[in-house]
Amino acid sequence: MTAHPTPGHRPSPRRHASRSAADRARYDRATAHLDAPVAIVDLDAFDANADDLVRRAAGKPIRVASKSVRCRALLERVLARDGFAGIMSFTLAESLWLARSGFDDVLLAYPSADRASFARLAADPKLAAAVTVMVDDPAQLRLIDEARDGGTEEVRVCLELDTSFKVLGRRVRVGALRSPLHSPVQVAALARAVVRRPGFRLVGVMAYEGHVAGVGDAVEGHPARSRAIRMMQAAARKELAARRGQTVAAVRAVAPDLEFVNGGGTGSVQHTAAERAVTEIAAGSGLFVPRLFDNYTSFSGSPAALFAQPVVRRPGVGTVTVLGGGYPASGVAGADRSPEPYLPEGLRYDPQEGAGEVQTPLHGPPADDLLIGDKVWFRHAKAGELCERFETLQLVKGDKVTGSVPTYRGEGKTFL
C-alpha cells in the first residue's frame, strides 16, 4: 500500500518531491499498457481521503455529492464504508437514474424544472420513496403539481436556506447566489406552504456554506488575502450556526418529523458537524481532492483523480507538447480553472497558449527528459467535471490497474 501524508499535515518540500516522483513512477508502471489520454483514480488515496472525511465528521453521516464523483462504481465503493449514507445529486434525471440503479436515498441539491422527470417521479412509488427534491419557492411546488400528469405519489421535499454572510448593513454579501430564503421566518413560511399542500411531504432542510466549504483559506503567495479569508470565514461560521439553529427550530415547529438537516462541504466538515442542528454533512470533492482543495489550513488530502496526456512533440529545448488537455473547470474564468501539470513536477503552461483543445505546449526542465509517447499527469481544478471528458476510470492500487469502471459519460449519461 502506498504511504500518504497524514490528513492535515503538509510534508516537507523534500519529502513531497520524493513522494511525487514515486507516485509518477507508480502511475507510469500501472498504465504502461494503456495509451494516453487516460484517467485514473488512486484507490489508496481515495480511501484515505474517505477516512479523513469520516474522522472530521465526528460521527455524523456524510452524504456523498455525486457531481464530485460522477461514477456509479465509486459511489457504491464509498457508500459501502462506515460513516457514509445517501447521495446528494445534481439533476432530477440523474436522481431517478440513481434510484432505479438501487440507491435508495437521493437528495437533489438544486431545484428542477424537468417536467417529464417530475411526472415519472410522481407516478412511481419506488422513485418517490427514494428521491427528495429541493424547493425554495412556492412556484416550484406549482410546477411539480402541473407536471404530475396523473401521478399521485407523495413528493418528498427539502427546503434550502441561503447561507450567505451579509455585512455592512447587509450591503455586502459573501456567498453563492442560491436560495432566496435567508431568514428563519422565510423558511418557516415555505414550510407551512409545503405542509398545507396535498401531495408533498417536508422531510429536510439543507444549507450549503460554499464561501466556507469551497474557498481555501491558505492561498499560496497571498498571506494577507488568506488572513482576510480566515477572518471572514470565522465570522460567517458563527453567524450561520446561530441562524441555521433558529431556522431548524422554526421548521421543526411546523414539521416535527423532519428527517434530516444537511450542511457543510469538504472544506467545512468539522465545523459544520459541530453544530447541534445539523444531522448530516455533504461532501464529495474531498474524495478526489482536485487542485482547488490544496489551499486549506484545516485539512490536507491526497490527490486521487488524475489524467495523463501523451507527449507528441518536442518543439525545442525545455519544451514538449502533449495532446489536448484543455479541460477548464466551471466558475469564474481564470488560471486557477485550468488543470495543473502535476507529474513530473516543474512543468508549466506557455503563457501565450495555456491548456489547448488539441495540443498543449509545456515548458520546464523536466521536458528535456520526456520522450515521444511518455505521459504527463495532470490534476483537474474541480472534482467530478473531469469525468465528463473520459468514459472510463482506471482504478490504480499500488503500481497496478486493478479494474476499469465507467463514468457517467461512459454509461451514456450526460445530465448537465
Side-chain angles (χ1 to χ4, degrees):
M1 179 175 290
T2 304
H4 290 276
T6 303
H9 170 72
R10 299 185 183 278
S12 67
R14 179 176 297 177
R15 181 181 173 191
H16 170 77
S18 174
R19 183 171 61 83
S20 296
D23 284 343
R24 181 195 172 201
R26 286 195 304 114
Y27 301 148
D28 283 348
R29 285 196 300 270
T31 62
H33 62 296
L34 299 171
D35 288 334
V38 63
I40 68 167
V41 171
D42 183 332
L43 292 180
D44 290 330
F46 183 90
D47 291 342
N49 293 333
D51 287 342
D52 183 48
L53 288 170
V54 171
R55 177 189 63 80
R56 292 197 286 136
K60 292 190 176 178
I62 298 171
R63 185 179 291 273
V64 184
S66 64
K67 76 178 182 66
S68 299
V69 179
R70 303 193 203 198
C71 170
R72 281 199 299 169
L74 291 177
L75 290 173
E76 291 169 352
R77 182 184 183 91
V78 72
L79 286 170
R81 304 174 70 89
D82 290 341
F84 290 85
I87 290 177
M88 177 175 282
S89 58
F90 60 100
T91 76
L92 184 53
E94 178 213 14
S95 304
L96 302 189
W97 178 64
L98 290 172
R100 291 192 187 101
S101 301
F103 296 98
D104 60 4
D105 181 6
V106 183
L107 169 62
L108 175 58
Y110 309 88
S112 176
D114 183 347
R115 291 176 172 83
S117 290
F118 277 127
R120 297 185 189 102
L121 177 68
D124 190 317
K126 177 183 176 181
L127 298 180
V131 175
T132 301
V133 303
M134 192 63 60
V135 169
D136 59 30
D137 190 313
Q140 294 155 355
L141 299 174
R142 293 193 293 272
L143 184 147
I144 295 170
D145 271 338
E146 292 166 0
R148 284 179 182 271
D149 194 27
T152 59
E153 294 300 321
E154 191 173 58
V155 175
R156 292 167 54 85
V157 168
C158 178
L159 307 182
E160 182 171 3
L161 169 70
D162 169 43
T163 65
S164 63
F165 183 43
K166 298 183 179 182
V167 294
L168 298 179
R170 302 172 69 86
R171 293 190 300 274
V172 176
R173 181 183 192 281
V174 180
L177 289 165
R178 292 179 63 108
S179 171
L181 308 176
H182 188 78
S183 71
V185 171
Q186 290 174 310
V187 181
L190 185 54
R192 287 190 290 271
V194 173
V195 169
R196 288 195 299 262
R197 198 175 186 106
F200 295 90
R201 181 153 64 99
L202 178 56
V203 299
V205 172
M206 187 188 91
Y208 171 60
E209 53 269 41
H211 50 298
V212 178
V215 178
D217 63 351
V219 185
E220 186 175 359
H222 297 277
R225 179 183 172 191
S226 298
R227 285 193 296 272
I229 291 173
R230 288 194 289 273
M231 290 175 61
M232 176 277 292
Q233 290 179 339
R237 287 197 304 267
K238 182 177 180 181
E239 185 276 335
L240 178 60
R243 182 160 52 90
R244 181 156 40 199
Q246 295 163 4
T247 298
V248 172
V251 173
R252 287 195 184 280
V254 176
D257 296 330
L258 203 66
E259 296 176 14
F260 64 86
V261 176
N262 181 281
T266 289
S268 69
V269 171
Q270 64 271 36
H271 301 297
T272 309
E275 294 183 32
R276 174 179 288 183
V278 175
T279 66
E280 63 176 40
I281 310 299
S285 295
L287 295 169
F288 284 173
V289 187
R291 62 174 295 205
L292 287 181
F293 283 82
D294 285 347
N295 303 318
Y296 286 80
T297 58
S298 59
F299 78 101
S300 177
S302 299
L306 302 96
F307 68 94
Q309 303 295 105
V311 173
V312 292
R313 285 176 169 164
R314 293 172 51 87
V317 175
T319 302
V320 293
T321 300
V322 299
L323 181 70
Y327 306 156
S330 59
V332 179
D336 65 340
R337 300 292 146 164
S338 294
E340 174 192 29
Y342 180 53
L343 300 173
E345 288 190 304
L347 293 173
R348 64 186 185 279
Y349 291 119
D350 185 286
Q352 301 302 315
E353 297 196 42
E357 177 187 9
V358 178
Q359 72 164 30
T360 297
L362 297 170
H363 302 300
D368 290 331
D369 296 323
L370 290 169
L371 305 177
I372 300 296
D374 283 352
K375 294 181 174 78
V376 174
W377 294 92
F378 292 78
R379 294 172 66 197
H380 203 266
K382 294 179 71 175
E385 293 181 16
L386 169 65
C387 293
E388 300 296 341
R389 299 285 184 168
F390 290 87
E391 295 183 351
T392 304
L393 297 174
Q394 307 295 330
L395 305 182
V396 172
K397 197 161 185 65
D399 61 356
K400 292 180 171 58
V401 170
T402 61
S404 300
V405 294
T407 61
Y408 280 10
R409 173 177 170 170
E411 298 199 65
K413 303 297 182 182
T414 51
F415 294 109
L416 201 60

